[in-house]
Amino acid sequence: MNWRSIFFAAPLAALAFAATAATASAAGPTCPDGAIKVGAVSTITGPADFSEVPKATKAAFDALNAAGGLNGCKIDYTIEDDKADPAVAAQAARDLIDNKEVVALVGSASLLDCAVNAATYNRKKVLSVQGLGVDAACFSSPSISPVNVGPYTLSTAMGYFATKTLKAKNLCAFFIIIGGTQEAYKKSIADWEKITGQKIHLLDLTLPFQGDLTPYVIKARDAGCDAVLTNQVEPQVVQLIKTVDAQKITGINWLFLAPAYTEQVAKALADSKQPIYAGTEWEPYTETGAEANAQWIADMKKAGRPLTAFSQGGYLAAKNFLKVIEGIDGPVTRESVTKALYDMKPIKDPLAGSPWIFGKAKTHSPMRSTKVMKLEKGAWVVETPDFVVLPKVN
């Protein structure tokens, strides 16, 4: 099966999933209950809206269903809104697992799903192909494997880029710490130190989510930082750079994570002369002419979904999940899906710089690459045409 054209390509209906998934000696996946039940727990209402991730997953499943399903089996997909409330998130997971009897979770994207429900998923032996891992528990659970790099590995990767490409000698890191993320960010810096053999010049874990940033930019200047790495999101990115400009600070490269990579940030900082970089989770979504994005763009346009990094995550989660269950010979159950995810081989996809795998392990953080974007005159341009791939940590 050509997985680059599985969802919306014109000949999809004629692909005959039964023929491609089955062989003379294997029946392929079957669904005695009439459908394969899958779910997602995502933050949709509340302080953040990650709905575009599971909506892209749903678009992929809907297209598959319209073409007759996987070997005749259609996907019954349910999205639960956890409202960024731990109690609601816990109830959403229980409803999907116990009442709807999902075989797996696919395309979830939440502020707290992983932290709240990882133990439940492990206990119930149901696995989650996370469309967007956000909190630290998404990358430290045996039952969850995100298809995105995530803020912690991306912090290591951006530090690696600063050292290897920008030749930074005095890397400084300023992190906002929310919930239980402190140890994950400290580990990201420790991993960078192991990979590069350098020591962090300054590590500050007190950066505020709101408030005056002047003391922090002055601290970076006075400490002699030649590169500053931070995990701020869109409004704080703009505030930080405007504060840097107001203080007339020069000679520092400013390194941000994926939340900085937005058109709004680019427009807001169009007049800044600061060297500003942002890491991506997948192939840069603004590169609409990139071959790696071609099928995703065609599929999302046909589904009426926006072209965002969030939709890349949901789309990739669906593709990877379908690729795995395509190889099941017999009923698609929670047990058979779990076994298939445990036994799978790594999946390579043009959208990502690293192969994705679930496998049986205590933790899962398979995605270890980024393409770095640079802000130039109000637009993001690709700084690294090839993915920056992190070496393994010894």
Side-chain angles (χ1 to χ4, degrees):
M1 183 180 298
N2 179 2
W3 282 86
R4 293 194 62 187
S5 59
I6 182 172
F7 297 127
F8 295 95
L12 179 60
L15 281 177
F17 283 96
T20 57
T23 66
S25 59
T30 62
C31 44
D33 295 332
I36 299 170
K37 297 179 181 179
V38 182
V41 177
S42 296
T43 302
I44 297 174
T45 56
D49 180 5
F50 295 133
S51 62
E52 196 50 49
V53 181
K55 284 179 180 178
T57 303
K58 184 178 186 299
F61 289 155
D62 286 348
L64 179 73
N65 290 343
L70 181 64
N71 203 22
C73 296
K74 295 190 176 183
I75 307 293
D76 180 359
Y77 188 57
T78 302
I79 302 170
E80 296 272 6
D81 179 12
D82 64 23
K83 303 179 181 179
D85 183 316
V88 176
Q91 179 56 45
R94 288 194 297 269
D95 182 53
L96 289 172
I97 295 169
D98 297 332
N99 298 330
K100 294 189 170 59
E101 299 182 330
V102 298
V103 300
L105 290 102
V106 181
S108 295
S110 167
L111 290 173
L112 43 67
D113 165 49
C114 298
V116 171
N117 293 321
T120 299
Y121 298 152
N122 201 38
R123 186 175 65 255
K124 295 285 188 176
K125 294 181 173 56
V126 59
L127 303 184
S128 176
V129 180
Q130 205 81 3
L132 185 72
V134 179
D135 72 72
C138 297
F139 305 91
S140 59
S141 167
S143 54
I144 302 168
S145 184
V147 301
N148 67 313
V149 181
Y152 316 105
T153 299
L154 190 53
S155 293
T156 307
M158 289 303 290
Y160 181 71
F161 163 76
T163 303
K164 295 300 182 182
T165 302
L166 301 180
K167 306 302 181 184
K169 301 298 182 184
N170 295 326
L171 176 65
C172 301
F174 291 79
F175 290 129
I176 299 170
I177 301 302
I178 300 175
T181 61
Q182 178 167 306
E183 291 306 312
Y185 279 116
K186 288 170 68 175
K187 183 180 183 300
S188 74
I189 296 301
D191 286 347
W192 168 81
E193 291 180 334
K194 291 176 182 177
I195 291 170
T196 64
Q198 294 192 19
K199 290 293 182 182
I200 193 74
H201 188 65
L202 171 66
L203 177 60
D204 189 311
L205 302 175
T206 68
L207 193 66
F209 193 77
Q210 294 179 323
D212 185 13
L213 298 178
T214 304
Y216 295 89
V217 300
I218 291 176
K219 185 176 182 179
R221 180 198 65 191
D222 292 349
C225 306
D226 58 4
V228 168
L229 169 66
T230 177
N231 63 339
Q232 291 170 304
V233 297
E234 185 177 300
Q236 292 80 29
V237 171
V238 174
Q239 181 189 356
L240 179 72
I241 296 301
K242 287 188 177 296
T243 303
V244 171
D245 284 340
Q247 294 298 318
K248 297 181 169 48
I249 294 173
T250 60
I252 299 177
N253 290 301
W254 301 94
L255 310 170
F256 299 97
L257 306 184
Y261 170 41
T262 70
E263 294 180 358
Q264 290 77 11
V265 167
K267 291 177 182 178
L269 298 178
D271 295 331
S272 179
K273 305 301 183 185
Q274 299 293 333
I276 300 168
Y277 302 89
T280 66
E281 303 269 19
W282 303 282
E283 180 72 19
Y285 74 93
T286 53
E287 295 300 294
T288 54
E291 183 180 354
N293 280 332
Q295 194 60 51
W296 162 69
I297 290 173
D299 293 353
M300 290 299 100
K301 282 185 175 180
K302 188 162 185 180
R305 305 290 350 139
L307 301 179
T308 66
F310 281 177
S311 74
Q312 283 179 314
Y315 178 80
L316 192 56
K319 285 184 71 176
N320 288 348
F321 174 73
L322 291 172
K323 180 65 176 177
V324 171
I325 67 170
E326 177 198 29
I328 294 175
D329 181 17
V332 178
T333 64
R334 189 176 299 171
E335 293 74 17
S336 66
V337 169
T338 296
K339 185 178 186 304
L341 286 167
Y342 280 162
D343 296 344
M344 68 174 287
K345 294 181 179 179
I347 296 174
K348 294 182 179 180
D349 190 277
L351 279 178
S354 303
W356 178 83
I357 188 170
F358 209 113
K360 197 167 188 177
K362 291 182 179 180
T363 65
H364 300 283
S365 186
M367 313 308 282
R368 297 182 57 79
S369 59
T370 183
K371 282 195 176 180
V372 179
M373 308 297 287
K374 186 176 183 182
L375 188 56
E376 292 187 356
K377 298 178 181 179
W380 291 106
V381 298
V382 178
E383 179 70 10
T384 58
D386 296 324
F387 278 95
V388 177
V389 181
L390 274 178
K392 291 184 178 180
V393 180
N394 294 326

